[in-house]
Amino acid sequence: MNDQLKTDLSNLGSLLEKVKEQSLAYLDQLPERPTSVTQKPRDKESLQDHGLGGSAALELFNSQYEDLLVASGGPRYWGFVTGGSTPASIMGDWLATVYDQNTQSVKGQGDVSAAIEVDTVHLLLDLFNLPQDFLGGFVTGATMSNFTCLAVARQWVGKELGHDFSKEGVTQKINVLTATPHSSSIKSMAMLGMGSNNFTKVEVLPGNREALDVQDLELKIQDLKGQPFILISSAGTVNTVDFDDFKAIAALKAKYNFWWHIDAAFGGFAACSPKFRHLVDGWETADSITIDNHKWMNVPYESAFFLVKEKHRLLQTETFQNSNAPYLGDPLANFNYLNFLPENSRRLRALPVWFTLNAYGRSGYQAIVENSVEMANLLDKFIQQSSAFDLLAPTRLNNVCFTLQGEESQEHVAEFLTQLNATGKVFMTPTVYNGKKGIRASLVNWRTTAQDVALVTEEMQRVFKAVLEKRTSVQPTV
Ligand SMILES: *Cc1c(COP(=O)(O)O)cnc(C)c1O
């Protein structure tokens, strides 16, 4: 054994103790840590012939990078849709690393890790009030979950047309209908050989909505004259968290032949609260659903899951089977995750979710979801009462989409956001909505409090004044 490995093995206790101390220090001061930094250039190093050992590697990491890591898991990181990590999810994630299982087969002489994944999917179906007739698995994020679901959908369309696309390649155009798809579904279509341009846009409802117009959907379905197609629908669009009408889509599904996919990356969490559950009524009849764990579930990256109706198991196996390896056996008889999703070797990604669900239960997640919505409503109220900001859309759940007041201030939105993010106190994301430059704040972090919102709104006012003053001072005199 190499010297450094030998030393580290005998000092494992003190090495992990150091990491624990550092982790606690980081998590304790997370609310105070900046949400953005100005990157300082670092010298690139070359690989040492003789390694430093774990302890010195930690020191090197700390001197090179530690202070440049932003509080993306903290209570005021409202950019994109970014969750933090609950204590129990960190425990599960830590142990997933320590146990280092290769999670694949449920039966046979393998380990229990795939059974833990199956159990965790059952817990998730309970959490989301979904029936147990879905087969699920863990992937790195909602992008890969959309990819997995759309891959099975693609195979379904092939079958309807008398083809096996997995074996033959995609030989025919696949019809896709969608209204406000997330960019990752379009990216998945590109990766799946379906073509990112090849979708028909369904109209959205009038009145500042992003949800699809079911009447227009039915017209577009009729235009297809009975050809099979994929419908990509939304449970929570990223700008305004709008939901398609799943009960109405379920009624169409009884009339027409299509694969129904729902991207519920974060909006699916509406199901955790009796107040918001109605938003996903009817979603249980979908063929496939995408949900992220590393957003509103507040588990560490990388974690999402997919749900595909168990009745499509054969299609899913045809899509992902790793059958050219004879030692893996019959993919349908022996359930093995490597025949059901993109990866072969994979970590025990379910464990952080298993831990957090068991630690906090239904009521814990109801509280997280309701708190996020309450915090979003506080920000919404501030914007409505302010003479500096305007909402771009009503706050339907946990995201607030707004801009600076007045047409003439459109050119200052980017500058305002840059300055606001530069405070390091909060982070938000730019967007464009209905042709206007806007800003999006997405509240999903379990630690966000009313004090955080108050701190942010103060900063917003201060930065707005500063940007406005600069504007007047540089205006040429007439
Ligand atoms: C975030 C998000 C995705 C992509 O998820 P990743 O976890 O970043 O891969 C897809 N759909 C929606 C609606 C999202 O909010």
Side-chain angles (χ1 to χ4, degrees):
M1 192 185 279
N2 165 284
D3 277 356
Q4 294 290 23
L5 280 169
K6 207 185 270 174
T7 314
D8 277 3
L9 181 59
S10 55
N11 292 333
L12 196 54
S14 78
L15 289 177
L16 292 185
E17 199 57 46
K18 279 183 192 173
V19 172
K20 187 187 95 177
E21 291 305 319
Q22 182 161 329
S23 303
L24 286 175
Y26 176 82
L27 293 170
D28 279 349
Q29 55 86 64
L30 191 53
E32 286 77 49
R33 180 176 270 254
T35 49
S36 67
V37 292
T38 322
Q39 188 82 31
K40 300 164 217 150
R42 303 277 173 175
D43 296 333
K44 285 215 173 50
E45 292 159 86
S46 353
L47 181 65
Q48 303 291 314
D49 191 35
H50 195 69
L52 302 169
S55 185
L58 180 63
E59 280 168 30
L60 180 65
F61 165 79
N62 285 343
S63 68
Q64 292 275 70
Y65 302 120
E66 210 280 335
D67 57 333
L68 296 179
L69 293 171
V70 300
S72 56
R76 278 170 274 100
Y77 197 93
W78 301 347
F80 313 98
V81 184
T82 308
S85 304
T86 64
S89 75
I90 295 173
M91 294 164 68
D93 203 62
W94 202 329
L95 289 176
T97 295
V98 170
Y99 286 100
D100 194 22
Q101 304 290 297
N102 187 354
T103 303
Q104 296 182 351
S105 175
V106 173
K107 279 197 221 140
Q109 296 175 314
D111 65 88
V112 75
S113 62
I116 297 175
E117 182 161 345
V118 171
D119 285 352
T120 309
V121 170
H122 284 179
L123 296 175
L124 286 165
L125 290 170
D126 281 348
L127 178 72
F128 292 105
N129 289 304
L130 281 165
Q132 296 285 340
D133 61 352
F134 284 99
L135 193 125
F138 283 73
V139 286
T140 50
T143 302
M144 280 315 290
S145 177
N146 281 329
F147 174 89
T148 305
C149 294
L150 293 175
V152 187
R154 181 186 71 172
Q155 184 70 1
W156 176 83
V157 170
K159 276 294 159 77
E160 292 295 306
L161 297 170
H163 288 280
D164 182 340
F165 286 161
S166 294
K167 290 210 168 76
E168 301 164 21
V170 184
T171 52
Q172 261 157 309
K173 181 173 182 265
I174 298 173
N175 295 305
V176 175
L177 301 184
T178 186
T180 314
H182 187 266
S183 53
S184 64
S185 284
I186 305 306
K187 174 174 170 174
S188 298
M189 287 171 62
M191 294 194 284
L192 288 162
M194 292 159 64
S196 55
N197 283 340
N198 291 337
F199 62 90
T200 302
K201 230 168 152 69
V202 178
E203 298 289 324
V204 293
L205 291 169
N208 209 350
R209 298 290 305 271
E210 290 188 300
L212 64 77
D213 179 338
V214 178
Q215 279 180 354
D216 187 57
L217 173 61
E218 186 155 17
L219 291 177
K220 300 236 152 84
I221 292 175
Q222 286 163 354
D223 284 348
L224 289 171
K225 302 197 176 4
Q227 295 176 69
F229 68 96
I230 300 168
L231 172 68
I232 302 176
S233 63
S234 296
T237 54
V238 281
N239 270 336
T240 71
V241 200
D242 212 345
F243 289 72
D244 293 336
D245 181 344
F246 298 142
K247 281 210 262 197
I249 295 174
L252 288 181
K253 188 144 163 68
K255 261 170 91 179
Y256 302 99
N257 188 29
F258 61 97
W259 182 283
W260 179 16
H261 175 64
I262 302 178
D263 182 348
F266 67 94
F269 282 81
C272 299
S273 161
K275 288 189 204 165
F276 312 120
R277 194 166 289 158
H278 62 274
L279 293 167
V280 290
D281 274 356
W283 70 332
E284 64 281 353
T285 33
D287 294 290
S288 58
I289 303 178
T290 283
I291 302 184
D292 243 330
N293 303 311
H294 55 216
K295 289 175 180 167
W296 224 343
M297 176 102 43
N298 281 272
V299 308
Y301 291 105
E302 305 157 330
S303 185
F305 66 106
F306 62 81
L307 296 171
V308 178
K309 277 279 157 70
E310 184 134 32
K311 67 181 179 200
H312 299 309
R313 191 176 166 141
L314 180 60
L315 290 169
Q316 190 158 356
T317 314
E318 287 169 353
T319 309
F320 291 111
Q321 67 183 321
N322 198 50
S323 60
N324 47 354
Y327 59 90
L328 297 169
D330 173 0
L332 268 191
N334 305 309
F335 181 83
N336 189 322
Y337 271 113
L338 63 72
N339 292 316
F340 280 86
L341 39 70
E343 294 101 346
N344 281 0
S345 300
R346 48 207 290 277
R347 75 193 255 107
L348 180 41
R349 197 168 275 128
L351 204 56
V353 173
W354 187 92
F355 263 79
T356 200
L357 288 180
N358 281 296
Y360 311 117
R362 237 183 241 287
S363 63
Y365 277 91
Q366 180 180 337
I368 289 176
V369 166
E370 290 179 357
N371 177 65
S372 297
V373 176
E374 201 181 317
M375 296 306 109
N377 286 335
L378 287 179
L379 179 62
D380 171 280
K381 203 164 132 201
F382 160 77
I383 290 170
Q384 292 210 44
Q385 290 170 352
S386 137
S387 54
F389 307 102
D390 264 343
L391 289 175
L392 279 177
T395 301
R396 299 196 176 94
L397 204 65
N398 61 310
N399 287 6
V400 182
C401 188
F402 67 97
T403 191
L404 306 185
Q405 239 176 48
E407 274 305 319
E408 70 289 352
S409 60
Q410 273 287 296
E411 56 182 300
H412 303 290
V413 174
E415 173 66 7
F416 168 80
L417 183 58
T418 302
Q419 302 246 354
L420 183 69
N421 286 344
T423 64
K425 302 264 172 64
V426 63
F427 197 88
M428 299 184 193
T429 318
T431 192
V432 174
Y433 181 70
N434 278 347
K436 282 195 164 172
K437 286 182 194 148
I439 295 168
R440 209 178 70 208
S442 179
L443 287 103
V444 288
N445 189 289
W446 66 286
R447 287 170 76 153
T448 309
T449 63
Q451 283 81 1
D452 289 309
V453 179
L455 196 154
V456 170
T457 53
E458 267 169 44
E459 289 299 320
M460 285 169 67
Q461 282 167 304
R462 203 176 55 72
V463 171
F464 178 80
K465 276 204 196 101
V467 170
L468 210 72
E469 272 160 24
K470 204 167 123 199
R471 179 177 71 186
T472 43
S473 70
V474 297
Q475 257 172 9
T477 42
V478 197

